[in-house]
Amino acid sequence: MKTDLGGVNVPALRSHNAALVLDLLRTAGEPGISRLELAERTGLTPQAVSKITARLRAEGLVAEAGRRASTGGKPRTVLRLVASAGYAVGVHLDRDELTTLLTDLAGTVVTRRRRGLDLGAGTGPVLDAVTEEVGALTAGGPDVIGVGVAMPGPLDHRAGVPGRVTGFPEWDGHPVRAELARRLGLPVVLDKDTNAAALRLALRPAAPGSFAYLHLGTGLGAGLVLGGALLRGDRTGAGELGHQTVRLDGPPCGCGGRGCLEVLCLAAVGRGELVEAARILGAGAANLVRLLDIDQVLLGGRVVLSAPAVFVDGVREALAGLGLTALVGLAAEGEADGDGDGDAVADEGAVAGGDGDAVAHGDGDGDAVAHGDGDRDGDAVARGDGDGGAVAEGAAWLILAPIFGK
């Protein structure tokens, strides 16, 4: 995520500067980064960096990763983030499914669990299930710093309270965050599912400055990143893409409106008309591009993953037909190298206009392998029967992101 890496050499901003250093260590990965490079990248003095890293080492967050040859003088000591120093739980509370996972500080998934769930079963039984699943993840005694929960909107992320979720009015005003914090004995953050997924995408290396993540699954919504920052709105109302009216005399929607993008798109999916669903989704994407002047549109969710080429092509064609140049690609559910950790990443072929299609074949658990077949420029598609846990990973980042000043 785009951020000002300028450090300030004053004690009052010590935590700010530590976050800058930790974020650079996070993005450096296992190879690590030297103190001199940290000073150059943050604008802090070498002395300030040495004090910060010494404190972080004492706290167990940073360790030496070896030495690197220097162009002059003695070899430089390289430092790395100790990802196992803490863990976060991510929870995706969908309309018909519950996904929970445990990640380390670097966001790598350690354990993942998934079970069917009916969001309409009532707040008590559903939160009982969340409590049970989180308890199973944390039973081994990992040092868990908090639980991030992502669910369909609308909701108020500051208050930790959902609004009138389409089709599930019983959740309106229920103190989800407070109740789960009491049940679990851990800090809890609540946000919309699309915001969580967009946050994870925004924190990957070389993330675009502005993009829309469109999620088509049991519902339709968007996560928006503008100027490198997640756009929630004052009432967490930004990104309610599914409830923009696109047909004044259209069918009624559960939100109380008529002709909403979501009801039209899901109706087409229900009829098996995926090309039509992609065309409708493309109309919504075009509205976002024209309204917000975003650079990229990234697609995700189980419906998209059921026929990714159809949706990527359909949305791209809708934008091109209107003369819009925003790039369209897949927010791949699962690492492109197939290591099964389920990170939500955008294939570079999709977002950078690379040569050849990046095609990911997944089994629905977040595993994916990418290869190029070269028949189109910049296409990215995936095949899978699940959403890969990308939203749950994003939920974990609701807890992790503040550690790195995000």
Side-chain angles (χ1 to χ4, degrees), residues 371-396:
H371 68 270
D373 62 12
D375 64 355
R376 287 189 303 270
D377 285 342
D379 293 353
V381 296
R383 292 171 177 80
D385 57 7
D387 69 2
V391 173
E393 290 180 43

Side-chain angles (χ1 to χ4, degrees), residues 123-144:
T123 58
V126 170
L127 295 183
D128 285 345
V130 173
T131 303
E132 179 182 329
E133 292 298 297
V134 173
L137 285 175
T138 59
D143 184 10
V144 176

Side-chain angles (χ1 to χ4, degrees), residues 54-121:
R55 186 171 69 253
L56 294 175
R57 289 187 65 186
E59 294 170 356
L61 292 170
V62 173
E64 290 190 3
R67 294 182 179 274
R68 183 180 301 163
S70 173
T71 55
K74 62 181 182 180
R76 299 176 185 173
T77 299
V78 178
L79 303 174
R80 64 172 178 84
L81 176 71
V82 179
S84 60
Y87 297 86
V89 173
V91 176
H92 180 194
L93 190 56
D94 206 349
R95 292 171 175 86
D96 63 354
E97 189 175 68
L98 173 63
T99 303
T100 56
L101 50 80
L102 184 73
T103 75
D104 63 19
L105 290 184
T108 301
V109 177
V110 177
T111 308
R112 186 192 316 270
R113 296 173 64 90
R114 182 175 293 156
R115 63 190 273 185
L117 185 76
D118 177 10
L119 194 62

Side-chain angles (χ1 to χ4, degrees), residues 278-279 281-287 289-290 294-295 297 311-329 376-377 379:
R279 188 182 71 85
L281 184 61
N287 288 345
V289 171
R290 286 187 288 200
I294 54 178
D295 301 321
V297 175
F311 283 96
V312 170
D313 289 346
V315 173
R316 181 183 292 115
E317 288 169 6
L319 298 188
L322 296 169
L324 302 174
T325 59
L327 298 172
V328 179
R376 287 189 303 270
D377 285 342
D379 293 353

Side-chain angles (χ1 to χ4, degrees), residues 23-334:
D23 193 48
L24 288 172
L25 287 163
R26 173 184 73 87
T27 56
E30 284 299 314
I33 187 171
S34 70
R35 292 181 181 83
L36 179 59
E37 290 171 303
L38 288 170
E40 292 172 345
R41 300 274 303 273
T42 61
L44 295 167
T45 65
Q47 294 82 0
V49 168
S50 292
K51 290 180 180 179
I52 291 170
T53 55
R55 186 171 69 253
L56 294 175
R57 289 187 65 186
E59 294 170 356
L61 292 170
V62 173
E64 290 190 3
R67 294 182 179 274
R68 183 180 301 163
S70 173
T71 55
K74 62 181 182 180
R76 299 176 185 173
T77 299
V78 178
L79 303 174
R80 64 172 178 84
L81 176 71
V82 179
S84 60
Y87 297 86
V89 173
V91 176
H92 180 194
L93 190 56
D94 206 349
R95 292 171 175 86
D96 63 354
E97 189 175 68
L98 173 63
T99 303
T100 56
L101 50 80
L102 184 73
T103 75
D104 63 19
L105 290 184
T108 301
V109 177
V110 177
T111 308
R112 186 192 316 270
R113 296 173 64 90
R114 182 175 293 156
R115 63 190 273 185
L117 185 76
D118 177 10
L119 194 62
T123 58
V126 170
L127 295 183
D128 285 345
V130 173
T131 303
E132 179 182 329
E133 292 298 297
V134 173
L137 285 175
T138 59
D143 184 10
V144 176
I145 59 177
V147 179
V149 180
M151 67 179 293
L155 58 78
D156 183 339
H157 81 280
R158 291 190 178 93
V161 174
R164 191 177 178 86
V165 179
T166 304
F168 302 91
E170 63 270 30
W171 288 90
D172 190 3
H174 190 81
V176 169
R177 183 180 67 196
E179 182 171 339
L180 282 177
R182 175 183 59 80
R183 286 169 172 252
L184 300 171
L186 291 166
V188 175
V189 176
L190 176 72
D191 208 336
K192 289 198 300 189
D193 45 12
T194 50
N195 285 346
L199 175 66
R200 174 64 186 93
L201 290 168
L203 289 171
R204 76 191 192 281
S210 68
F211 67 88
Y213 168 72
L214 307 190
H215 186 94
L216 180 58
T218 59
L220 171 60
L224 306 174
V225 172
L226 301 178
L230 183 65
L231 176 65
R232 290 186 173 94
D234 289 342
R235 291 162 296 279
T236 326
E240 289 295 327
L241 176 71
H243 299 293
Q244 59 172 269
T245 300
V246 293
R247 186 182 298 169
L248 291 176
D249 59 348
C253 178
C255 72
R258 298 187 69 92
C260 290
L261 193 73
E262 178 178 286
V263 71
L264 295 173
C265 196
L266 290 180
V269 172
R271 296 190 302 268
E273 299 173 1
L274 297 188
V275 172
E276 174 65 6
R279 188 182 71 85
I280 295 169
L281 184 61
N287 288 345
L288 279 180
V289 171
R290 286 187 288 200
L291 182 64
L292 300 175
D293 193 26
I294 54 178
D295 301 321
Q296 298 180 14
V297 175
L298 302 176
L299 309 179
R302 69 176 71 168
V303 174
V304 169
L305 290 181
S306 71
V310 171
F311 283 96
V312 170
D313 289 346
V315 173
R316 181 183 292 115
E317 288 169 6
L319 298 188
L322 296 169
L324 302 174
T325 59
L327 298 172
V328 179
L330 187 76
E333 319 289 346

